[in-house]
Amino acid sequence: KIHEKLGEAVVSTQSTGEIMSEDWFKRVEYTWFQSFMIKCVRTGRLPKHIAFIMDGNRRFAKVKEITRSESYAMGFEKIGEILDHCEMFDIKVVSVYAFSIENFKRSEEERNELFTLMSEKMNYLLTKMDKLNEKGIRIKVSGNISLFPAHITKTLAQLELQTMSNSEFCLNLCLAYTSRDEMTNSVRCLTKGVLEGKLKVDDINETMLDRCLYTEDLPPVDMLVRTSGEVRLSDYMMWQANFAALQFVRVLWPDFGFWHFVGALLDYQRQEPKLREYRSNYKPFLDKMSQAELKMSAHLEHCSLTSHEACTMNSEITAAYTRAHCLRSEKFISGLKSERHAYLESCAELSSAGA
């Protein structure tokens, strides 16, 4: 594995550059060789969206003989470092698996540690709103945040609302998240839409399911990285990572450095041509399947409204049905976004004008 060899090479070279300040928005000072490597890697295709499973914090605490809280705090600092690396490689979207729904099953002591740290770090980001806006960083929260204590839910809602208009970079925090819960929520939204008469059953397809996910306004995941050496996805981005390059790196998250990141990118570039071919072949198939479904639905609806003798199919009927389908779908998705925004405002205790 390229990233493993480069990770081992860190021992004899300067690994991640010197941090110029303790601020989360620190700038990494890259060595001349690291800068040269950045230029080389940037000549190839790079992912637009990287998802991280930040695994290994508890093991890191045991190895370094520090507290769990200290290890988790170091893991948070690592996110800031990763954002610097992504800026250098012009990668615009990063998702991090910060808190799984499964984490609620941990001991009360550890949950309280995580909640305390989360509250502290999210409030810290609120105090750095000028920096977030200056760098154009949007904070998006994906997950069922209603499961958190009210003060954490409020802070998360404020962060998302106050950075919503930023467009240079998106940090997607997956909190109280699992793929199964996300897909269940998507199906629940579509079911509600049908029951309320906003959608027809025939409007439900793969595209609509995708647009009801938490990540509907983000590009698909191009590369998924899991640290610690564990080879599993842990119910993370199962839908979005359908055509992603999977990287399982044998290093604990707080130790994940520049060369591990570069190695993962190089391995992505090795896999990318084949993944691009799979994705490009799948889209025409999906479009063709959707068109066939719409044509059949239009035909069945037309036949139900006319006599058997008059039941004929033509392009005008299909076109009219397709237009109606698109209008219903767009109106429904727009309504979902409005509901989400209103929910965030209620959580943040902000008026529409304040948001």
Side-chain angles (χ1 to χ4, degrees):
K1 288 285 186 179
I2 299 174
H3 45 67
E4 291 176 10
K5 293 181 187 257
L6 285 174
E8 292 168 3
V10 167
V11 176
S12 59
T13 62
Q14 193 172 359
S15 62
T16 58
E18 294 182 2
I19 303 304
M20 298 175 67
S21 75
E22 295 181 357
D23 192 275
W24 194 71
F25 297 93
K26 57 190 174 287
R27 299 296 306 174
V28 175
E29 186 177 298
Y30 295 96
T31 66
W32 72 267
F33 185 61
Q34 289 172 336
S35 299
F36 172 74
M37 181 59 72
I38 290 170
K39 292 179 181 178
C40 291
V41 175
R42 284 190 60 149
T43 61
R45 287 181 179 268
L46 290 167
K48 296 177 182 178
H49 183 178
I50 301 180
F52 287 94
I53 301 177
M54 306 180 294
D55 195 18
N57 288 292
R58 289 188 292 180
R59 275 171 279 175
F60 182 83
K62 290 181 180 179
V63 171
K64 299 297 183 180
E65 297 182 341
I66 59 177
T67 65
R68 284 195 305 254
S69 295
E70 289 174 315
S71 180
Y72 285 128
M74 292 176 70
F76 176 79
E77 295 300 318
K78 183 60 63 175
I79 297 174
E81 184 181 318
I82 292 298
L83 298 191
D84 269 343
H85 298 335
C86 287
E87 183 179 350
M88 296 303 296
F89 289 102
D90 198 30
I91 295 165
K92 298 295 187 182
V93 183
V94 168
S95 294
V96 292
Y97 204 4
F99 195 95
S100 166
I101 289 177
E102 297 298 316
N103 291 150
F104 285 104
K105 298 178 182 178
R106 293 186 179 180
S107 68
E108 183 177 357
E109 178 187 0
E110 187 170 358
R111 286 201 312 272
N112 289 335
E113 286 179 4
L114 290 168
F115 290 159
T116 300
L117 179 68
M118 193 183 305
S119 179
E120 175 190 326
K121 299 305 182 183
M122 294 305 106
N123 278 297
Y124 164 78
L125 289 180
L126 277 179
T127 66
K128 297 293 183 179
M129 193 55 60
D130 56 335
K131 284 281 189 181
L132 289 169
N133 292 330
E134 176 189 332
K135 296 170 76 70
I137 298 176
R138 173 192 174 198
I139 304 292
K140 179 178 174 62
V141 182
S142 295
N144 186 2
I145 61 173
S146 65
L147 298 176
F148 287 120
H151 68 284
I152 293 179
T153 302
K154 176 180 177 178
T155 306
L156 293 172
Q158 289 176 331
L159 270 175
E160 180 160 348
L161 286 170
Q162 294 182 38
T163 62
M164 194 170 282
S165 60
N166 294 340
S167 58
E168 287 298 312
F169 182 87
C170 179
L171 174 60
N172 179 35
L173 300 174
C174 296
L175 295 159
Y177 173 93
T178 63
S179 284
R180 286 174 296 175
D181 181 73
E182 180 181 33
M183 285 185 266
T184 300
N185 181 69
S186 182
V187 171
R188 188 182 296 117
C189 289
L190 292 169
T191 303
K192 182 182 177 184
V194 172
L195 293 175
E196 293 178 350
K198 297 176 182 178
L199 291 175
K200 293 185 176 182
V201 173
D202 295 333
D203 292 330
I204 300 176
N205 54 30
E206 185 175 323
T207 301
M208 282 297 290
L209 185 62
D210 181 75
R211 296 188 68 185
C212 291
L213 298 175
Y214 297 130
T215 56
E216 63 88 19
D217 58 343
L218 300 181
V221 175
D222 297 307
M223 182 172 82
L224 189 149
V225 179
R226 179 175 187 139
T227 56
S228 84
E230 294 289 335
V231 184
R232 51 195 172 89
L233 297 182
S234 296
D235 206 1
Y236 180 56
M237 294 285 188
M238 303 288 284
W239 180 283
Q240 297 87 339
N242 188 30
F243 295 107
L246 305 181
Q247 305 286 339
F248 299 100
V249 188
R250 294 181 183 176
V251 62
L252 304 178
W253 173 248
D255 275 335
F256 186 81
F258 173 81
W259 291 110
H260 299 107
F261 188 65
V262 169
L265 292 178
L266 290 173
D267 198 49
Y268 166 80
Q269 291 177 335
R270 178 185 65 82
Q271 300 181 56
E272 191 273 337
K274 182 62 70 176
L275 294 171
R276 178 158 37 96
E277 180 184 348
Y278 291 152
R279 186 173 289 174
S280 63
N281 288 340
Y282 182 69
K283 190 177 186 308
F285 167 76
L286 180 62
D287 292 342
K288 186 176 180 180
M289 185 171 63
S290 297
Q291 290 169 8
E293 290 174 350
L294 284 172
K295 186 175 181 180
M296 178 59 69
S297 297
H299 177 68
L300 293 174
E301 182 176 276
H302 176 65
C303 290
S304 68
L305 299 175
T306 61
S307 63
H308 179 72
E309 293 77 12
C311 185
T312 58
M313 195 62 194
N314 58 59
S315 59
E316 291 182 3
I317 294 172
T318 302
Y321 186 89
T322 301
R323 284 194 297 271
H325 160 77
C326 291
L327 286 172
R328 284 192 303 271
S329 300
E330 291 303 322
K331 186 176 180 180
F332 175 74
I333 295 300
S334 177
L336 279 185
K337 290 180 179 179
S338 296
E339 288 177 15
R340 166 72 174 173
H341 194 275
Y343 172 71
L344 290 174
E345 285 188 330
S346 67
C347 291
E349 297 179 357
L350 295 173
S351 65
S352 297

